Amino acid sequence: MVIKTHGPGISPGLTAIFSVSCGLMVANLYYAQALIGEIAPALGLHGAVAGLVVTTTQLGYGAGLFFVVSLADRVENKRLIVMLTGGACFGLLGTWMATGAASFLFFSFLTGFCSVGAQIMVPLAAHLAPEATRGRVVGNIMGGLITGIMLARPLANGIAAIAGWRMIFVLSAIAMAALTLLIIRAVPERHPEPDLRYGQLLRSSVSLLVKTPTIRRRTAYQATMFAAFNLFWTAVPLLLAARFGLGQPGIALFALAGAGGALAAPIAGRLGDRGHIRAGTAVALTAAIAAFLIAGWAAAAHALILLAAAAVLLDAATQLNQVLGQRVLFSIAPEARGRINAVYMTVVFLAGALGSMLATVSFEQGGWTATVSVGAALATAALLLFLTERRAAAV
């Protein structure tokens, strides 16, 4: 079955498949983050190099975002996604069987590189969805993606407590294998009409960012928001252990509660479809500032429930801004959606990595107060930039 660039629609069932697929793929990036304390010693990685257990997968994902996602504008999309999910399955199996640091890191990089299939499915869904419901469809799928991010850590911790740290990787490999078969069976084909060679695709991605003000702005807003999001979620486990005395199970439950913010994604899609992109963006950026102020107050008052509310608010704000941004970006140039999403997500992902670095530095230098101050400053910078945007450009 071949679906042209402008499909007649996308069924709720297929939307659900896309949502679950994206959540499972992106979760692969976060299992090791939750288990670094067990994995690093088992592989003989100590001190500063222990962080490679996490960063290698992230580096693979970043490379895949730039070098693979653009191919969605040139290669038949379904075939590309199937190849990537199969590659992620192979990488996870290698991670599960790895006996030394070198092999573990190699397969971790491969897993991250191939998990970018999620970022090909999102613009594919935008192609299949009609204009009137595109925001809702993207919002529902992004809700699944953020749920995968938020559930990955507590799931990894829970399974490791029962069957050891390796088990989450083999279970995820089985999930990727099943997902590959499901995609082959259920996802329609999309054959783009390539007019650029691979090198031209990559250059075109960068050119679109440089030359298109709307892409630059929406990328800047979400990059800043995602940096703040990662800053919070990298530092909050340290706060929960030091200030609230929580162990790993308690921290996992806190992360599970934070996943409630994923419910904002479908709402954001509906707002975008109704033309409330400017108002929604203002609400998202303002809510992020409020979330960091509440988080600072919650720590000072030793109010764990209030801190959880701040986490949900921040997650919801990040999702609201992300979905509204993609609603705008996917309306710019249908034939270049893969390239636009590639450069957009690459910058956003790199900003998120920077946010994680800022978290450890700020928490070590000034504690939680310094961390929430940096987060509030990032969100404020995004809001101030947004306020310089002309009303016509924000639609």
Side-chain angles (χ1 to χ4, degrees):
M1 178 182 179
V2 178
I3 299 295
K4 300 297 183 182
T5 298
H6 299 286
I10 178 170
S11 69
L14 186 56
T15 301
I17 289 173
F18 275 58
S19 179
V20 171
S21 299
C22 289
L24 288 173
M25 287 183 213
V26 80
N28 292 332
L29 306 178
Y30 296 94
Y31 297 136
Q33 189 177 69
L35 303 174
I36 184 173
E38 298 180 44
I39 296 174
L43 298 176
L45 297 172
H46 303 284
V49 295
L52 290 174
V53 168
V54 176
T55 57
T56 302
T57 310
Q58 306 281 338
L59 288 172
Y61 190 74
L65 283 172
F66 185 74
F67 291 107
V68 176
V69 175
S70 295
L71 286 171
D73 292 336
R74 181 175 178 81
V75 178
E76 195 282 300
N77 287 191
K78 178 178 177 178
R79 183 168 73 249
L80 184 58
I81 295 166
V82 167
M83 290 173 61
L84 290 169
T85 52
C89 177
F90 180 72
L92 287 160
L93 287 174
T95 303
W96 168 55
M97 294 186 293
T99 56
S103 58
F104 181 92
L105 295 177
F106 171 79
F107 286 113
S108 293
F109 184 91
L110 178 62
T111 299
F113 187 84
C114 292
S115 293
V116 298
Q119 297 304 332
I120 296 171
M121 296 194 84
V122 176
L124 173 57
H127 278 291
L128 297 173
E131 173 68 23
T133 60
R134 185 170 296 138
R136 183 177 65 186
V137 169
V138 171
N140 288 338
I141 293 169
M142 291 305 299
L145 189 147
I146 192 64
T147 300
I149 293 175
M150 300 307 299
L151 295 184
R153 299 179 186 92
L155 182 64
N157 282 320
I159 291 175
I162 297 171
W165 64 265
R166 292 182 184 271
M167 183 56 65
I168 185 62
F169 297 107
V170 70
L171 291 177
S172 186
I174 293 171
M176 288 297 105
L179 189 60
T180 301
L181 296 176
L182 180 62
I183 290 170
I184 291 172
R185 180 184 178 91
V187 174
E189 295 180 359
R190 174 185 171 258
H191 292 269
E193 298 177 1
D195 56 356
L196 297 173
R197 292 188 294 272
Y198 179 63
Q200 292 174 317
L201 276 177
L202 298 182
R203 289 193 295 273
S204 176
S205 296
V206 178
S207 178
L208 284 165
L209 177 66
V210 172
K211 296 180 179 179
T212 313
T214 301
I215 298 177
R216 289 201 307 271
R217 279 188 170 271
R218 298 309 313 195
T219 301
Y221 302 157
Q222 188 59 20
T224 309
M225 286 284 280
F226 197 57
F229 174 88
N230 271 18
L231 174 123
F232 179 91
W233 283 106
T234 300
V236 78
L238 303 175
L239 173 73
L240 292 171
R243 185 71 60 86
F244 294 92
L246 296 185
Q248 201 62 44
I251 294 172
L253 286 174
F254 184 91
L256 191 61
L263 297 175
I267 297 172
R270 287 164 174 79
L271 286 174
D273 288 338
R274 293 171 184 170
H276 302 307
I277 291 174
R278 183 177 178 84
T281 301
V283 169
L285 301 178
T286 304
I289 299 171
F292 279 103
L293 296 178
I294 294 170
W297 181 26
H302 212 271
L304 185 58
I305 294 177
L306 196 60
L307 184 64
V312 173
L313 181 60
L314 178 61
D315 292 357
T318 305
Q319 283 309 294
L320 178 58
N321 191 68
Q322 168 95 342
V323 173
L324 291 175
Q326 288 184 310
R327 179 67 173 81
V328 173
L329 296 178
F330 291 153
S331 299
I332 293 174
E335 75 284 354
R337 281 178 181 145
R339 281 165 283 165
I340 292 171
N341 199 47
V343 71
Y344 170 76
M345 287 305 306
T346 298
V347 175
V348 168
F349 186 79
L350 291 175
L354 177 61
S356 295
M357 291 175 54
L358 287 173
T360 55
V361 172
S362 63
F363 195 86
E364 182 178 342
Q365 296 298 319
W368 184 247
T369 300
T371 300
V372 294
S373 296
V374 173
L378 287 169
T380 301
L383 179 61
L384 292 175
L385 177 61
F386 169 74
L387 292 176
T388 68
E389 183 178 279
R390 292 177 302 168
R391 181 174 295 275
V395 190

